[in-house]
Amino acid sequence: MRLVRYTGVDGGPRPGAVVAGAEGERLLDLGDLACSVEDLLTDAASLAAARQRAAAADASLLAPFDPAALLAPVTPGKILCLGYNYRGHVPDGTDPTANDPEHPDVFVKTPNTLAGPNEPVVIPPGATDVDYEGEVAVVIGRRAQRVSLEDALDHVGGYTILDDVSDRAWQRRQSQWALGKCSDGFAPLGPWVVTPDEVPDPQDLLVEVVRDGVVTVSQSTSTTIFSVAFVIHHLSQVLTLEPGDIVSTGTPQKLPAAQDAHRPLADGDAVTVRISGIGELTTRFVAHPEAAA
């Protein structure tokens, strides 16, 4: 099931589900069952009712699905991300054939970075090297505190897509990445949360990124160093993961031709992240008004 958060007729956010119909996708409102997608994911009875309603829905009687109405599907308290989690993606100057790291490289994106699937990313004034990273994002559905590796996937509420937008110039200025990762709107998320029954194996998904009509990234999650289960287990030993929190699992290395032709993102650019079993997220980039002054 694809769960969304969208702008209702009253202007406020409401949870819903996307239902396939003979004449295209439709929107099933679930606002009477829960106040948010997080509430649906954490309450088994509400989620079961939503699933039953979606299965029984007559799509012809539902409103057409309007992607423009979508908001970020959840509002996470924490956005935790991984660096260099795909084999072949290593820091500059590191041998890509070296042994795998012993522990995940974890960093944080702050709450101001969250953006919905239709919000353009504003390139900060003075930024010289803004880049994209398409990633599978895990949505926590059940509180996770010091969980075992065997039980870790039971705490997954679903999967979505995150574009880990990064300012490489700021990132290179320090050993900590925060200032390169945390500009306003640098974490577009969406378009929906796909429940785990639709993604039976998160280690068997194809992650691709398309820029200017060219595939610049294409790699399977089977090549990640640390699995979704291990990452949730690992993080929960240190901090408690709450429903709605996002754990983004890292990006593959760009294909060689894309690396050789690297060009910082600029006004008017668009990048599409597509992940098998989850969907597509297109991020558009616009110049900051101060840049034109």
Side-chain angles (χ1 to χ4, degrees):
M1 185 164 54
R2 290 173 291 171
L3 298 173
V4 296
R5 180 170 164 260
Y6 73 101
T7 302
V9 293
D10 62 353
R14 294 181 67 85
V18 181
V19 176
E23 299 181 357
E25 295 181 325
R26 301 284 172 158
L27 178 65
L28 174 65
D29 181 75
L30 300 173
D32 62 322
L33 294 178
C35 294
S36 65
V37 171
E38 293 96 312
D39 288 345
L40 285 171
L41 296 178
T42 55
D43 183 67
S46 295
L47 187 61
R51 198 183 305 280
Q52 184 177 25
R53 187 178 296 181
D58 182 347
S60 66
L61 302 178
L62 299 177
F65 171 60
D66 179 11
L70 293 184
L71 306 168
V74 294
T75 51
K78 298 183 285 295
I79 304 175
L80 303 169
C81 304
L82 299 190
Y84 307 117
N85 191 36
Y86 282 77
R87 292 188 173 89
H89 186 206
V90 296
D92 292 342
T94 301
D95 180 359
T97 65
N99 292 336
D100 290 341
E102 185 178 356
H103 305 291
D105 196 349
V106 181
F107 63 93
V108 173
K109 290 181 86 80
T110 46
N112 64 296
T113 62
L114 182 67
N118 298 304
E119 295 181 62
V121 171
V122 178
I123 299 171
T128 59
D129 197 1
V130 175
D131 203 1
Y132 58 87
E133 296 186 2
E135 308 190 2
V136 176
V138 180
V139 183
I140 300 299
R142 179 179 156 208
R143 196 170 192 261
Q145 185 179 53
R146 292 185 289 278
V147 300
S148 68
L149 180 61
E150 294 73 21
D151 294 337
L153 290 182
D154 293 339
H155 297 262
V156 173
Y159 301 90
T160 187
I161 301 172
L162 183 136
D163 186 349
D164 174 19
V165 182
S166 308
D167 186 330
R168 302 299 186 200
W170 274 103
Q171 191 174 343
R172 287 190 291 265
R173 291 173 186 172
Q174 53 193 353
S175 60
Q176 302 297 313
W177 296 350
L179 294 183
K181 295 287 189 176
C182 293
S183 290
D184 295 341
F186 266 25
L189 188 73
W192 42 59
V193 174
V194 178
T195 51
D197 57 298
E198 302 285 343
V199 185
D201 184 1
Q203 306 311 136
D204 187 23
L205 304 174
L206 179 63
V207 178
E208 292 190 312
V209 180
V210 180
R211 179 181 180 182
D212 300 329
V214 176
V215 175
T216 60
V217 172
S218 183
Q219 195 165 336
S220 171
T221 56
S222 65
T223 63
T224 54
I225 299 167
F226 302 103
S227 69
V228 169
F230 180 84
V231 171
I232 293 171
H233 156 72
H234 178 77
L235 292 173
S236 75
Q237 306 309 304
V238 177
L239 51 82
T240 301
L241 301 173
E242 300 288 356
D245 283 350
I246 293 293
V247 178
S248 202
T249 56
T251 186
Q253 180 66 279
K254 289 186 178 71
L255 296 172
Q259 292 184 69
D260 293 342
H262 171 70
R263 175 173 61 84
L265 290 161
D267 182 58
D269 284 344
V271 172
T272 296
V273 183
R274 61 190 186 201
I275 300 176
S276 59
I278 299 178
E280 295 187 355
L281 172 68
T282 296
T283 304
R284 293 174 175 80
F285 295 83
V286 297
H288 194 282
E290 291 181 16

